[in-house]
Amino acid sequence: MKIVVRDVTFAYNSHAVLHGVSLGVAEGEIVSIIGPNGSGKSTLLRCLARVLQPRRGAIFLDGREILAIDARQWARQVGYLPQAGGTSFPITVLEAVLMGRKPHIRWGVMPRDLEAVERAMRYTGVEEMARRPLGELSGGERQKVLLARALAQEPEVLLLDEPTTSLDILHQLEILELLRQLAVEQGKAVIMVMHELNLAARFSDKLVLLKDGSIFAAGRPEKVLSVASLKAVYGVEAVVSEGRFGLEVLPLRPVAGRGTLGGDDTT
Amino acid sequence: MGWSCKGPMFTLKHRTDPWNQGRDCTGRARRFLALRPSPVPRPRDRRGTVEEIYASTTFRKALLLVGLVILLAAAGLVAATAGAAQVGAGDVWRVVAGKFLPAYRGTAGELARTVVVDLRLPRILLAVITGMSLAGAGAAMQGVLHNPLVDPYILGLSSGAAFGAALAIVLGAGFLAPVYGSVGPYLVITNAFVFGILAMWLVYGIARLRGTAPETLILGGVAIGYLFSAGVALLKYVSENEALKELVVWLMGGLWGATWEAVRLLFPLVLASQAVLLYYAWDVNALLAGEEVAGSLGVNVRRVRLLYLGAASMAAAATVAFTGIIGFVGLVAPHICRLLIGNDYRFLIPCSSLLGAALLLVADTGARTIMAPTEIPVGVITSLIGVPFFLGLLLKRRSQISL
Ligand SMILES: Nc1ncnc2c1ncn2[C@@H]1O[C@H](COP(=O)(O)OP(=O)(O)OP(=O)(O)O)[C@@H](O)[C@H]1O
Ligand SMILES: [Mg+2]
């Protein structure tokens, strides 16, 4: 499934957030949206997920305007994981993951639904928690369950808002490798919001760097993550090197005049 | 389909990754084992596969459903035999079979027939219908408004209905007043229904201006409720003795007005409401995950919310018009079921409805027999039975009741 975002502009009431964002994602591709807090990453992903409607511009899925697609058909093609935040609902882990099968279920739950659920739970490593209430899990465990829900949906396009943020390093790697496997083997398109620049660079085909709601840079990670762009967008001085394991970003310090304690400037 | 690794090997086409080269897709599993020193045998047999767990939890839910049907049937039998006139279970069977089974040839005494058919049966059925509609509506509204304190009377429904009834009782005014000629029960019923629905529409209309968010609906309902309550208070203040008494009795709620006509009118309505609630049960389940996620799972959040609230309030308003305001059932029956089987609305709606029906039927039977010939308001009994049971569950069960 190919996604094209054309000149999307969005505002919450009068608060303009996205300004003319355009990008394209091919199938089998992993694209990470990066940028500072409040730069509009989640807003862009919400527009992609049809949660928000752009003020101007349009988004196309395989050439069709997404707002024109039938809801059920849409739900079978696109899975969305919102940014983690509070909403814990009183159901069991199994019920939460089963929810991902909603677009495939008419009324009865079929064996293939349960198979998809089991697979998804195994992939995120939550199969042992099936009976537990979602509200009693740790933040990372819950995130894995919600990710499993999106996977159980078996969509062609995955939209993930910070899927690895509260996971430990083992699970970060496992989830990201799983996503890459899905992209490479099954041609899924993955668009995710990331904060961890090194992981984003390593696991993404393309990065989209947002600054104040506009694309500052987009393309291959080594092109986007430059010393200059990190300084301009994040206000951080960093070292970027091409190491043995690919691109390595080491943030050093805020650029002079930012975020220091009462002018006690050590530089 | 699926995520399983089918190909023997996969090589990354577009990028070279030294830490990934030569890995096949079983690498994940292999590394998993390598990281865990002694691969414990999977506790499959103890906890079961997803399929087994799903089957067992679904069985539990179905069990509750069946149990409640049996409970309701038993309560119905007790209610049919309880009362001043001596009518045994055998008589009840003969009468009911004689009435509903054309092939049945047995005969029952004239007294038994009159008591059961004319008095007890309509009252039993009205209790069942009312309990079902109130408890089903309670579960539904708690579900779509994501608030455990909501009951079917939220959205100003009860106050609106009360105001309509008060208008009819005190002033003899109201819709269709010319048609009925004088103040009769029909005027009260129609008025209560119309004003109940009117209040609800008002609240919904207001909330629509702000995207029908649950908070707006609830707070709007409370505000409109106060408005109509003020109207009721005013009407009470200006009413004559006779009307005041009638109004107070109506406000307390009860099933003495049960007739076959009421049952025939309400039954299809409540059935239709239940059908709508069941039809959208999956959507409401998905709504538990939040509006954004539900939307991305293909749920039309606005439409589901409107239809759920509409179907639930219709049934509640219609029954309230006949019975007056009967509280508590709609609030507590869904919570009791929720504590037992969780938040799966496919089962929660029918279970709550059945439990509400049973609760109200038992309470009403108590209400008309305990101090016979004086009737105790049914709301008193409902609370006396429901509260201890509910509190017991609440304290015993660790699981959350929240929404
Ligand atoms: N519902 C909302 N109503 C009004 N403004 C909003 C809303 N959601 C986000 N915003 C604003 O829009 C801007 C972009 O928010 P967004 O959530 O897209 O940021 P983000 O890039 O995802 O940030 P973070 O890294 O913190 O998740 C912020 O200034 C935020 O305050
Ligand atoms: Mg965000």
Side-chain angles (χ1 to χ4, degrees), chain A residues 28 46 49 51 71-72 74-75 78 80 82 89-91 94-95 98-100 102-103 105-109 111 114 116-125 127-131 133 135-136 149 151-155 170 174 177 180-182 184-186 188 201-205 221-222 244-246, chain B residues 1-7 9-15 17-20 23 25 28 31-32 35-36 42-44 46-57 61 278-283 285-290 292-293 295-300 341-344 346 398-403:
Chain A
R46 281 202 195 105
V51 172
R72 195 179 183 84
W74 167 262
V78 180
Y80 169 56
F89 35 107
I91 55 179
L94 178 57
E95 286 172 324
L98 187 60
M99 219 69 94
K102 164 85 182 55
I105 292 173
R106 272 276 167 224
W107 176 259
V109 175
L114 295 173
V117 165
E118 176 148 27
R119 248 188 328 263
M121 289 175 75
R122 209 168 47 234
Y123 275 126
T124 60
E127 73 268 43
E128 305 299 331
M129 307 173 191
R131 285 178 192 273
E136 292 177 8
R149 178 189 30 70
L151 295 178
Q153 202 176 339
E154 298 190 324
L170 169 67
E174 282 189 351
E177 285 191 0
R180 180 144 69 188
Q181 201 172 311
L182 293 176
V184 170
E185 290 187 348
Q186 299 179 13
K188 314 268 182 197
R202 199 204 287 182
F203 285 93
S204 312
D205 301 303
E222 46 277 25
R244 194 158 77 85
F245 298 111
Chain B
M1 278 213 53
W3 315 101
S4 56
C5 307
K6 294 192 196 84
M9 293 278 259
F10 82 83
T11 42
L12 292 164
K13 298 163 207 152
H14 38 310
R15 278 156 56 73
D17 303 75
W19 58 92
N20 245 340
R23 258 195 66 206
C25 59
R28 195 181 121 88
R31 187 194 36 174
F32 224 82
L35 283 168
R36 294 183 178 168
R42 295 168 77 72
R44 267 293 155 79
R46 194 160 45 83
R47 301 202 190 180
T49 62
V50 160
E51 203 157 339
E52 286 160 10
I53 295 174
Y54 180 77
S56 78
T57 51
K61 294 169 189 174
L278 275 178
Y279 185 79
Y280 287 101
W282 265 112
D283 298 59
N285 280 350
L287 208 50
L288 282 173
E292 281 191 12
V293 171
S296 77
L297 291 174
V299 178
N300 184 338
I341 58 166
N343 264 307
D344 184 345
R346 289 177 302 160
R398 208 167 39 83
S399 80
Q400 69 285 38
I401 193 167
S402 56
L403 271 165

Side-chain angles (χ1 to χ4, degrees), chain A residues 12 15 17 35-44 46 83 162 195:
Chain A
Y12 292 104
H15 176 39
V17 174
N37 294 136
S39 56
K41 304 182 293 298
S42 298
T43 305
L44 176 56
R46 281 202 195 105
Q83 190 165 358
E162 305 195 16
H195 273 302

Side-chain angles (χ1 to χ4, degrees), chain B residues 246-257:
Chain B
E246 202 186 328
L247 180 55
V248 167
V249 168
W250 191 92
L251 289 176
M252 217 141 54
L255 297 161
W256 51 79

